[in-house]
Amino acid sequence: EMKPVSTYIDEGLTPEEIIHTLFNDAKVLGRNDLEWYCGCSKEHFMRALSLISQKDIEEMIQEGKGAHVKCQYCEKEYDFTQEDLKEVLDRHVNIGKISIANQIVAAPLAGISNPVYRKMCHEYGAGLVVSEMISDKALHYENRRTQDMCRTVAEEHPVSLQLFGGDPVTMGEAARYLTTHTDCDIIDINMGCPVTKVLKAHAGSYLLQDEEMAASIAQAVVENTDRPVTVKIRAGFDKE
């Protein structure tokens, strides 16, 4: 019987070494792929249950039901009591009217966080996914590539689209654009990016040096959308 992946991690193996070890162990057992391998546990299914909608779990609790699940790979069976389901419910997060299945958020990555990547993150258990940062000025000037960055797909909800900019007027316009042209669930404001070109635009973490402007931008975004608004923020602009 093979060890759980977490054991290899505790032993300090790199991801590449873990894959290599698992593959070799599989060969010894007469297998040539890893699909059959299962390291399930009750906690594994707790995480899976946390992806069920909050409403469904609340109904199960109200009806006095528990849950019984069976692993499709190793066929182990697990029973979940009312207390287990309440613990699962505690893992849900609400942002405005949007229910987030768990507290795992796929952070925005420039050049990477497109709809395909975000959909994959949801499939692997993320409760919320966020787009790469979208320029308010580029939306103002109707840049086609930036407009395409606002695209979402049905399988990635809940999804947050992140704006960056240093002008309350164009940030308000951008929020209105996302509200009328996309079905995003949340609009996020970037006040954390330290990249030089973003700082030169008085955006990102630059705003942490100007509280009044940061507040004006947040107000402009909130006033131009009916979606919940969040802010990505750092502890401060610098070590001071």
Side-chain angles (χ1 to χ4, degrees), residues 177-194:
Y177 178 88
L178 295 185
T179 303
T180 56
H181 290 79
T182 81
D183 61 350
C184 70
D185 301 290
I186 297 168
I187 294 178
D188 187 57
I189 304 172
N190 186 310
M191 294 190 188
C193 182

Side-chain angles (χ1 to χ4, degrees), residues 16-225:
E16 291 78 15
E17 290 171 334
I18 292 173
I19 293 297
H20 180 74
T21 301
L22 288 174
F23 194 76
N24 282 338
D25 285 349
K27 281 183 177 179
V28 169
L29 295 173
R31 306 285 185 135
N32 59 5
D33 60 63
L34 300 177
E35 185 178 353
W36 67 277
Y37 173 67
C38 180
C40 74
S41 64
K42 187 167 184 175
E43 175 59 27
H44 169 88
F45 282 100
M46 288 284 275
R47 291 196 297 271
L49 284 169
S50 72
L51 301 179
I52 298 174
S53 73
Q54 182 173 345
K55 180 181 178 182
D56 289 342
I57 294 179
E58 287 175 343
E59 288 179 354
M60 291 169 70
I61 293 173
Q62 290 173 0
E63 294 172 4
K65 294 181 179 179
H68 180 82
V69 295
K70 181 177 181 179
C71 177
Q72 62 177 319
Y73 293 111
C74 69
E75 299 189 346
K76 289 180 182 176
E77 298 185 19
Y78 300 91
D79 287 304
F80 294 88
T81 66
Q82 290 280 293
E83 292 304 314
D84 290 330
L85 292 178
K86 289 177 182 177
E87 183 181 337
V88 170
L89 194 60
D90 287 341
R91 300 185 184 192
H92 282 75
V93 179
N94 290 316
I95 300 178
K97 296 180 180 179
I98 306 302
S99 177
I100 310 300
N102 53 58
Q103 298 180 39
I104 301 173
V105 179
L109 298 170
I112 295 176
S113 299
N114 58 32
V116 175
Y117 172 83
R118 300 194 302 258
K119 178 175 175 289
M120 289 174 61
C121 288
H122 263 308
E123 290 173 350
Y124 280 90
L128 175 67
V129 295
V130 186
S131 72
E132 56 184 308
M133 58 184 185
I134 298 164
S135 167
D136 65 331
K137 295 297 185 185
L139 288 179
H140 175 75
Y141 291 111
E142 299 182 353
N143 179 276
R144 291 284 182 85
R145 181 176 178 276
T146 302
Q147 290 175 339
D148 187 59
M149 288 167 60
C150 301
R151 182 172 57 89
T152 63
V153 295
E155 296 85 358
E156 62 171 319
H157 291 280
V159 57
S160 174
L161 296 184
Q162 186 187 83
L163 294 172
F164 81 95
D167 181 349
V169 175
T170 49
M171 282 292 281
E173 289 178 6
R176 190 160 57 250
Y177 178 88
L178 295 185
T179 303
T180 56
H181 290 79
T182 81
D183 61 350
C184 70
D185 301 290
I186 297 168
I187 294 178
D188 187 57
I189 304 172
N190 186 310
M191 294 190 188
C193 182
V195 174
T196 301
K197 69 177 182 179
V198 175
L199 298 181
K200 287 182 177 179
H202 291 185
S205 60
Y206 179 91
L207 293 169
L208 300 181
Q209 303 175 101
D210 189 341
E211 293 181 9
E212 290 187 7
M213 180 57 70
S216 295
I217 287 173
Q219 182 176 357
V221 172
V222 169
E223 290 178 349
N224 282 278
T225 186

